[in-house]
Amino acid sequence: MAARRSEKASYSAPSVNEIVKDKLTYQSLENWGPESKAAFSGDLVNDLYNNEIIDGSSGRVNTSRVMLLELSQYLERYLWPHWDPLKSSLVHFLSIIVMANEKAREGVSPFQCFKEDKEKFGQFFKFLMAATMNETASLFPGSPVSRALSVSELKFVLIFLIECFQSLEESLVQAQVTRLVSLPLWVALSEGRRNKILQTNKVLQKQWTRMQQSIRSTPQNYHFESHFVPHLCSLFFQHLSTLPSKENKAEDQHVLQFCERFLELICDLLSQISTRRFLRTFLDWIHFTIRCRLSTLFISHRSTLFNQLVEKLEFYDDFQIDDITGTALTIDEVTERHCEGIQAMQVIAFSFFQPTLRAFALSNMAAIESKTSLMVNLSVLPNDDLKSFCRMLFLIPDTDDANDARMPLYNDNRFLLNVISKTFAKKTSLIDTLEETPVYPTDQIMWDDNILPMSSYTGEHCLSLPKLSLQYLSVFDYLWRNFHLFRLEAAYEIREDVEDAIKRMKPRKDVKGVKMTGWARMAQQLTQFQISHVAPPRLGMQRPDHVLARLSIDTRSMPHEIRAEWERIRPHDVLFLIGVSPSTEIGQNTDDKVDFVQRFGLKAVRGCQVRDILNNKGQVIDIHQLQLEGKPIPFEGKITLLVSLDPQQYFLDVQSGKGSEVYEGMNILLRRNGKENNFRAVLDTLRSLMVQEQRQISFLPEWLTDVFLGYGDPLSASRVRNSNDIDFRDTFVDLPHLISSFPSASSITSGSSPVSPASDLAPPFRIKFRRHSRFGLSSSSSKSSLSSSSSSDGDQDNELFLEIESSSSNKTSKPTAEKDLNRPQWYKNLTQEFEAHKLSGIKFTKSQVEAIESAMSEGLTMVVGPPGTGKTDVAVQIVHLLYHNFPQQRILLLTHSNQALNQLFEKIRNLTDIDDRHLVRLGHGEKQLKMEDANSFQFSQAGRVDMMLSRRLELLQTVSHLAHSMQVEGDVGSSCETASYFFRFFVQARWSEFLRLVQLDSSPLDAISTHFPFSAYFSSIFSLSSPSLLFPLGPSSSSSNG
């Protein structure tokens, strides 16, 4: 690790002045510059490779020199145009590989220059495979390449292959690499193992039959498909067996990096369905993971990175997914497969290995399903019987083959027992794996170069990091990768804060222990720290349920401003505990050349969350009550906190035997800025989503899952299912506007009558959409794109029919008008207020209406346009229609800035009739809301609670008013409970009696005005002088109204 640090420290990017004066710049202008007429020189390629690209002393790539060649377009203008598989040297080929790798390292696609000649790239890739397998002489007769690639050159090829498999979106690359991990790989399987798999899938049986026929007729076409990956695996194990060597030669470093890169490649292939489908079965057949774990390099822990990559490989190898279909397995399906395997093994043991395995065969599954139990029960078999047992389970070849490099392994019982236990032992579930992962990053992660590299990382060695690629195995896999990457991103920032704080604190060795000779604003020395409570584990768990600790810091010597900052610590804040044990004594300076961890004696970094704030007596302070009373928190020169530690991390520390050493040595408390310290909430959210996914509670709709994971056509997620009946409310200003918005409609009708611009219909409109295929097939669930109907291929094959319902017609008859004249004034006022609802007043264009209509359908809708084209108005109208058409659904609005969200929020409230009760503004931007008639704080989470409490009081006052008008005694409006009793025993009773009397009376209109039980209440509401004016149309009042 130290060697890698020195290697990275020596690297520096060239400056502009250095580039201009460098000899490579002059050589590039002379030989492949825009105005160069120099002929191609193979000697120049050899010279540049041996003296500039490759460092002769170490054999590594000289990154700074390769950067200069990349800036001069060495690959595009010189190497690639002059490459010929029959004439070019091996150095020429390797130069192309190294330059392409440099492009990928810089984040540039290395395949852009290859796209001009796809056939040539196919030849280049074939040459790559032939050179790797040392078959260039037979496949490319006349080629000057005659030797095999060295291990360092194989490493360059592996880096190029990794980039190829990470760029499957490039059709040029996909056509070459996917065939290497296809069905021909199963040629290496035994017939019994292969038939066992094919019997479960008839489609694979047909593919295998067709492939066998093709292999018999043209075997050369399947040479690389069936032999390239097995050859790489053979090279990998051949080199792995030499590590670690006692000589520790420089060549060993290249061998180690080759093995690490190959593991990175295998992990990438297993983490995508398209490359995993057939490869995993092959790797399981050659026992790839077991051989890595049993290797001397892994057992010796000489390479931390290699061990981390093996653990990552095991995670994806055991990932709970169906390799053929790509479907994530449920917990029940995983259990069923496990039980079937144990049962098959017990049947074989009972049938063929009596009496040795009789007890094993008759045991219950829970007693033998663990790895330890399996190995103990089966270790009684001699080697020949154990091999026979494995052959019956199709785990090893049916017969011994002297040419098979694995034969010595099959004579080792320990290896065979590991093979059996890996296949049949109960796997750790993904939820358990998640539970076993600590939340807070620790010092082991923060200062691990294999996970968190330094800022000058050159990319020469790989990292044990999850990759955000184009494809994922499942939603859990996507969340899992993001969880770890976000955790590592937080760890990187925390590491910088920890280093800064410790440097400022200047810890030194003292007679009494550790003394801080400096000070830091964000860190303080602990005066007390002790574990106060370790809760017992829950049923089925190993880690404690929770771990509490008590800590204190002295604030008396702090400046007032800094002390005020520390006293603002509140429950749920995340803090970090640091333990240092420096070897530097007081008065001495630290050696800056020494590693940071060793320089300051860093022992541990652990995260914690504030649970409560304690007073000097150890009692919990009720902060909320103090805030209500307007009193400050009585710290009295000391802050004492009760914090919650990560129980999983505590369990791991205790299991490792370092628990007391870690927690008894804590002497620094670190706090961070709130905006930078929100990682815990994000990680908790990701964890909860992963748990939901494993319990089949997906946060993604089914139609979006495949596209989200990178499979299938992205257009399939648009308009998955059209909404056939939409209330457009105020979207259309009039009928001509509606008709012009759907120019492709074959028919627009209202009831059974056709509609024209002159039809007497007025908004708001409700439209029923009917789409029928021109060929007679219904296509109401079209997956067409979001482009306009005139240009969409999907809509060209469908006819659109619209049925309009108008809730506000202009067909007003004379009797109805006369009837309206006799309406009471309170009714007219109420009607006018209802009809004067908020209207957008915007005449949406055809494309805007299409976007609105698309957003009403199940699927993805993207509205794109330059500023000022009405995107915000369209979004507001979409929210408005979703609110009214799907009242049971929740709507979440996300924007990139508080300003954009506030603008959207203000328009929604001011231009739509969405109830204020249903609006909540999350985040810190609610204070900047500019509302015309409301306090902006009301729309925050706390404001919503206050509003509901205020609304509760208003309604209870209304209940009291109603009870008074009904002459009901008692305080029925004191609570919601008493109000519900009042409604049940008084309001409903009188209303039922009212309905009974109206039905019995011969004059219903007169009975309504006579017996209506709430006349007094509504008279007071509408300020009527007499309750009889509430029903002026009755017979008793007709004469007075004229």
Side-chain angles (χ1 to χ4, degrees):
M1 193 174 295
R4 282 176 176 168
R5 283 197 177 116
S6 62
E7 162 206 325
K8 288 181 275 189
S10 63
Y11 163 74
S12 60
S15 64
V16 176
N17 190 39
E18 290 174 341
I19 293 174
V20 173
K21 296 181 179 181
D22 198 281
K23 66 174 184 179
L24 284 178
T25 304
Y26 294 104
Q27 282 184 316
S28 64
L29 293 174
E30 181 180 352
N31 292 280
W32 61 84
E35 300 178 359
S36 174
K37 297 182 181 179
F40 174 77
S41 172
D43 293 336
L44 177 60
V45 173
N46 293 337
D47 180 67
L48 291 176
Y49 182 82
N50 294 319
N51 299 322
E52 301 290 349
I53 295 178
I54 300 299
D55 187 346
S57 59
S58 63
R60 296 196 299 260
V61 174
N62 194 332
T63 307
S64 59
R65 308 304 288 168
V66 173
M67 283 183 62
L68 285 174
L69 290 172
E70 165 58 21
L71 289 173
S72 67
Q73 296 184 314
Y74 181 47
L75 174 62
E76 297 91 331
R77 293 184 174 181
Y78 203 68
L79 291 176
W80 181 245
H82 298 97
W83 182 81
D84 188 326
L86 300 179
K87 299 179 181 179
S88 298
S89 63
L90 181 61
V91 168
H92 192 159
F93 162 75
L94 292 173
S95 298
I96 294 176
I97 293 292
V98 172
M99 296 307 301
N101 293 342
E102 173 61 19
K103 282 183 173 292
R105 191 189 71 85
E106 296 177 2
V108 181
S109 173
F111 307 107
Q112 195 62 37
C113 66
F114 301 140
K115 292 181 179 180
E116 299 177 358
D117 194 340
K118 294 183 178 180
E119 184 177 351
K120 184 178 179 179
F121 181 76
Q123 286 292 313
F124 177 80
F125 203 83
K126 182 179 179 180
F127 188 90
L128 179 149
M129 294 185 289
T132 304
M133 300 177 65
N134 196 20
E135 297 179 356
T136 51
S138 59
L139 295 176
F140 293 92
S143 172
V145 179
S146 58
R147 68 173 179 86
L149 298 179
S150 65
V151 66
S152 60
E153 293 166 346
L154 285 171
K155 181 184 67 175
F156 301 151
V157 172
L158 283 181
I159 296 173
F160 182 78
L161 286 175
I162 290 171
E163 184 60 30
C164 288
F165 279 105
Q166 286 292 311
S167 306
L168 295 181
E169 74 279 7
E170 300 281 356
S171 58
L172 173 80
V173 179
Q174 185 182 30
Q176 301 298 327
V177 300
T178 52
R179 59 193 180 100
L180 300 179
V181 287
S182 56
L183 188 57
L185 271 179
W186 286 8
V187 171
L189 274 62
S190 69
E191 185 176 357
R193 175 69 174 270
R194 187 169 54 243
N195 291 338
K196 179 183 177 182
I197 302 173
L198 294 177
Q199 287 173 1
T200 61
N201 193 304
K202 294 183 178 180
V203 176
L204 279 180
Q205 287 182 11
K206 295 179 181 179
Q207 291 182 0
W208 178 259
T209 303
R210 287 196 299 267
M211 190 197 71
Q212 281 186 313
Q213 295 173 354
S214 300
I215 289 178
R216 283 193 291 267
S217 59
T218 55
Q220 65 277 6
N221 293 343
Y222 291 89
H223 174 69
F224 290 120
E225 286 86 339
S226 57
H227 291 86
F228 182 72
V229 172
H231 179 77
L232 283 179
C233 292
S234 177
L235 287 176
F236 168 75
F237 286 117
Q238 177 183 339
H239 290 299
L240 182 60
S241 63
T242 65
L243 295 174
S245 65
K246 296 180 180 179
E247 291 82 3
N248 196 21
K249 299 177 295 185
E251 184 69 15
D252 292 345
Q253 189 67 19
H254 294 297
V255 174
L256 177 60
Q257 290 182 358
F258 167 79
C259 294
E260 293 169 348
R261 285 292 183 182
F262 188 74
L263 283 181
E264 180 188 7
L265 173 63
I266 296 298
C267 289
D268 289 350
L269 296 179
L270 291 179
S271 62
Q272 299 181 104
I273 285 294
S274 54
T275 54
R276 172 192 179 94
R277 181 168 288 116
F278 304 107
L279 176 67
R280 183 185 174 276
T281 302
F282 167 76
L283 295 177
D284 187 57
W285 174 247
I286 65 173
H287 318 299
F288 188 89
T289 306
I290 298 174
R291 294 165 73 178
C292 289
R293 181 167 279 278
L294 295 180
S295 65
T296 307
L297 180 62
F298 183 89
I299 297 173
S300 64
H301 296 278
R302 291 284 293 273
S303 172
T304 305
L305 176 58
F306 182 85
N307 288 25
Q308 291 171 345
L309 290 171
V310 170
E311 292 172 357
K312 180 181 176 182
L313 170 67
E314 288 180 324
F315 172 78
Y316 280 111
D317 185 41
D318 295 334
F319 200 87
Q320 295 164 2
I321 193 171
D322 189 295
D323 295 330
I324 304 302
T325 63
T327 306
L329 300 177
T330 64
I331 298 176
D332 292 339
E333 290 171 339
V334 172
T335 304
E336 182 180 357
R337 291 190 177 193
H338 167 67
C339 293
E340 288 175 354
I342 294 289
Q343 185 179 9
M345 186 167 50
Q346 286 183 303
V347 169
I348 292 176
F350 186 82
S351 302
F352 300 98
F353 296 93
Q354 292 266 23
T356 310
L357 296 182
R358 180 178 178 83
F360 171 79
L362 299 178
S363 298
N364 63 77
M365 290 188 182
I368 60 173
E369 65 180 0
S370 67
K371 177 180 178 180
T372 304
S373 299
L374 283 174
M375 298 185 74
V376 170
N377 281 278
L378 298 177
S379 61
V380 297
L381 291 176
N383 182 257
D384 291 340
D385 288 347
L386 195 56
K387 283 197 291 186
S388 299
F389 188 69
C390 291
R391 283 170 177 149
M392 292 179 182
L393 294 170
F394 305 110
L395 299 179
I396 63 175
D398 299 333
T399 58
D400 293 341
D401 184 359
N403 297 324
D404 191 344
R406 294 172 293 171
M407 287 311 301
L409 298 174
Y410 299 150
N411 295 323
D412 183 0
N413 277 19
R414 186 187 64 152
F415 178 81
L416 295 177
L417 290 173
N418 275 276
V419 170
I420 296 173
S421 63
K422 179 190 179 300
T423 307
F424 297 103
K426 186 177 181 179
K427 306 290 192 302
T428 303
S429 68
L430 294 177
I431 292 183
D432 291 339
T433 304
L434 180 64
E435 292 292 336
E436 294 171 0
T437 304
V439 176
Y440 302 108
T442 63
D443 53 295
Q444 290 92 342
I445 294 176
M446 295 179 192
W447 282 273
D448 187 346
D449 282 355
N450 302 324
I451 300 177
L452 285 182
M454 300 300 176
S455 57
S456 57
Y457 171 68
T458 63
E460 181 176 352
H461 70 277
C462 63
L463 299 174
S464 180
L465 292 177
K467 296 181 180 180
L468 293 182
S469 57
L470 292 174
Q471 295 182 341
Y472 303 91
L473 295 179
S474 66
V475 177
F476 182 94
D477 180 36
Y478 171 81
L479 295 172
W480 176 264
R481 300 191 204 186
N482 278 273
F483 175 85
H484 280 277
L485 287 175
F486 189 84
R487 182 167 172 258
L488 293 174
E489 181 182 355
Y492 183 86
E493 298 173 353
I494 294 168
R495 181 179 69 183
E496 293 183 335
D497 292 342
V498 170
E499 290 182 349
D500 179 70
I502 293 178
K503 290 177 182 178
R504 292 178 182 273
M505 295 285 286
K506 297 180 181 178
R508 294 293 186 267
K509 184 178 180 180
D510 190 27
V511 179
K512 298 181 180 180
V514 179
K515 183 177 181 180
M516 306 300 165
T517 59
W519 73 278
R521 189 187 196 101
M522 307 301 289
Q524 289 295 322
Q525 186 172 8
L526 287 168
T527 57
Q528 176 195 10
F529 178 82
Q530 63 179 7
I531 304 295
S532 59
H533 179 66
V534 179
R538 293 185 181 182
L539 185 64
M541 302 291 290
Q542 291 185 327
R543 63 173 176 83
D545 184 52
H546 59 268
V547 180
L548 301 180
R550 182 178 297 185
L551 59 87
S552 300
I553 59 173
D554 190 351
T555 60
R556 290 174 296 180
S557 60
M558 295 182 187
H560 176 74
E561 181 182 356
I562 298 178
R563 182 169 64 252
E565 292 177 0
W566 279 93
E567 291 179 350
R568 281 197 288 268
I569 292 178
R570 293 294 181 267
H572 306 295
D573 287 353
V574 174
L575 306 174
F576 286 90
L577 303 166
I578 304 173
V580 293
S581 180
S583 58
T584 307
E585 297 182 355
I586 298 176
Q588 296 180 347
N589 294 325
T590 58
D591 187 359
D592 294 340
K593 297 180 180 180
V594 179
D595 177 75
F596 176 84
V597 175
Q598 299 176 359
R599 191 192 327 163
F600 292 99
L602 181 65
K603 297 300 182 182
V605 177
R606 297 291 184 267
C608 63
Q609 190 171 35
V610 178
R611 181 163 177 168
D612 288 305
I613 300 177
L614 308 179
N615 58 22
N616 291 337
K617 297 180 180 180
Q619 299 171 336
V620 177
I621 299 176
D622 190 344
I623 300 176
H624 181 69
Q625 184 63 32
L626 291 176
Q627 289 176 341
L628 292 177
E629 298 174 357
K631 297 180 180 179
I633 301 176
F635 286 110
E636 300 179 2
K638 183 175 71 170
I639 298 177
T640 304
L641 305 174
L642 184 66
V643 297
S644 176
L645 303 177
D646 187 345
Q648 180 60 34
Q649 184 61 56
Y650 180 83
F651 173 75
L652 294 176
D653 291 334
V654 173
Q655 286 291 99
S656 64
K658 299 180 180 179
S660 58
E661 177 184 350
V662 169
Y663 294 100
E664 291 178 3
M666 295 298 181
N667 44 27
I668 297 177
L669 180 66
L670 173 72
R671 64 182 176 91
R672 304 178 70 225
N673 293 327
K675 292 183 178 180
E676 303 171 356
N677 207 33
N678 61 351
F679 71 96
R680 172 65 192 263
V682 178
L683 293 178
D684 286 343
T685 302
L686 290 173
R687 287 172 74 108
S688 64
L689 289 175
M690 283 188 277
V691 171
Q692 290 181 18
E693 280 297 322
Q694 284 305 105
R695 294 174 179 171
Q696 303 300 302
I697 308 175
S698 179
F699 69 95
L700 285 177
E702 185 178 351
W703 51 264
L704 182 60
T705 301
D706 286 345
V707 176
F708 184 82
L709 297 178
Y711 305 100
D713 184 7
L715 293 179
S716 64
S718 63
R719 292 194 186 181
V720 178
R721 182 166 53 250
N722 291 295
S723 294
N724 294 329
D725 191 349
I726 303 175
D727 182 3
F728 278 94
R729 301 185 71 82
D730 59 348
T731 303
F732 306 105
V733 297
D734 50 30
L735 185 61
H737 180 207
L738 184 152
I739 296 175
S740 64
S741 299
F742 299 97
S744 61
S746 301
S747 172
I748 303 179
T749 59
S750 177
S752 59
S753 305
V755 173
S756 66
S759 299
D760 200 7
L761 297 174
F765 298 109
R766 176 179 289 274
I767 302 179
K768 293 183 179 180
F769 292 85
R770 299 289 182 267
R771 289 179 172 86
H772 298 283
S773 172
R774 299 181 189 275
F775 306 103
L777 300 175
S778 175
S779 59
S780 59
S781 297
S782 172
K783 294 181 181 180
S784 59
S785 64
L786 299 181
S787 57
S788 63
S789 301
S790 59
S791 61
S792 174
D793 295 337
D795 286 343
Q796 289 177 357
D797 295 334
N798 296 290
E799 292 183 300
L800 177 63
F801 299 89
L802 304 182
E803 297 178 14
I804 301 177
E805 294 181 9
S806 176
S807 59
S808 177
S809 175
N810 290 329
K811 298 179 180 181
T812 306
S813 60
K814 183 177 181 180
T816 304
E818 292 178 354
K819 184 177 180 181
D820 287 343
L821 292 176
N822 292 327
R823 296 289 189 187
Q825 188 61 40
W826 66 266
Y827 177 84
K828 295 179 181 179
N829 295 340
L830 192 64
T831 304
Q832 292 174 2
E833 182 180 352
F834 175 78
E835 292 179 350
H837 63 276
K838 297 175 182 177
L839 297 174
S840 66
I842 301 173
K843 189 172 184 180
F844 294 103
T845 64
K846 181 176 71 70
S847 59
Q848 289 174 331
V849 171
E850 184 181 6
I852 294 171
E853 189 260 330
S854 174
M856 293 298 102
S857 305
E858 187 174 291
L860 291 178
T861 297
M862 181 177 292
V863 182
V864 182
T869 54
K871 297 187 297 298
T872 304
D873 292 331
V874 169
V876 170
Q877 191 66 14
I878 289 173
V879 172
H880 184 205
L881 298 185
L882 287 174
Y883 173 81
H884 288 285
N885 283 274
F886 306 98
Q888 302 301 323
Q889 300 292 328
R890 298 178 181 179
I891 303 172
L892 176 65
L893 303 179
L894 299 174
T895 62
H896 287 290
S897 65
N898 282 324
Q899 181 182 4
L901 184 59
N902 285 342
Q903 291 177 354
L904 193 61
F905 193 94
E906 292 163 9
K907 283 195 172 186
I908 288 174
R909 187 179 183 276
N910 297 329
L911 300 180
T912 69
D913 57 356
I914 295 177
D915 198 325
D916 284 351
R917 295 177 301 160
H918 301 149
L919 295 174
V920 180
R921 172 62 166 88
L922 303 177
H924 298 283
E926 76 275 358
K927 296 181 180 179
Q928 287 76 41
L929 282 174
K930 298 177 182 178
M931 293 299 174
E932 299 175 357
D933 57 349
N935 183 358
S936 62
F937 183 72
Q938 291 182 357
F939 293 97
S940 65
Q941 286 179 291
R944 292 293 84 194
V945 175
D946 294 340
M947 187 276 295
M948 294 302 294
L949 294 176
S950 300
R951 178 64 175 164
R952 170 182 172 274
L953 294 177
E954 293 175 5
L955 294 176
L956 290 177
Q957 290 177 358
T958 302
V959 170
S960 298
H961 184 193
L962 178 61
H964 178 74
S965 67
M966 295 172 62
Q967 298 181 353
V968 175
E969 297 181 357
D971 191 7
V972 297
S974 60
S975 67
C976 294
E977 183 179 10
T978 58
S980 66
Y981 290 144
F982 167 71
F983 173 76
R984 184 185 307 172
F985 296 112
F986 291 96
V987 176
Q988 283 188 330
R990 297 196 183 186
W991 180 253
S992 299
E993 179 65 16
F994 166 70
L995 294 178
R996 187 184 69 81
L997 294 174
V998 169
Q999 292 176 354
L1000 294 176
D1001 200 299
S1002 58
S1003 178
L1005 292 179
D1006 190 41
I1008 291 174
S1009 60
T1010 303
H1011 301 296
F1012 186 66
F1014 312 118
S1015 298
Y1017 172 75
F1018 284 105
S1019 297
S1020 63
I1021 291 294
F1022 298 116
S1023 302
L1024 302 179
S1025 59
S1026 173
S1028 62
L1029 297 178
L1030 190 64
F1031 302 99
L1033 299 181
S1036 61
S1037 58
S1038 58
S1039 59
S1040 62
N1041 287 326

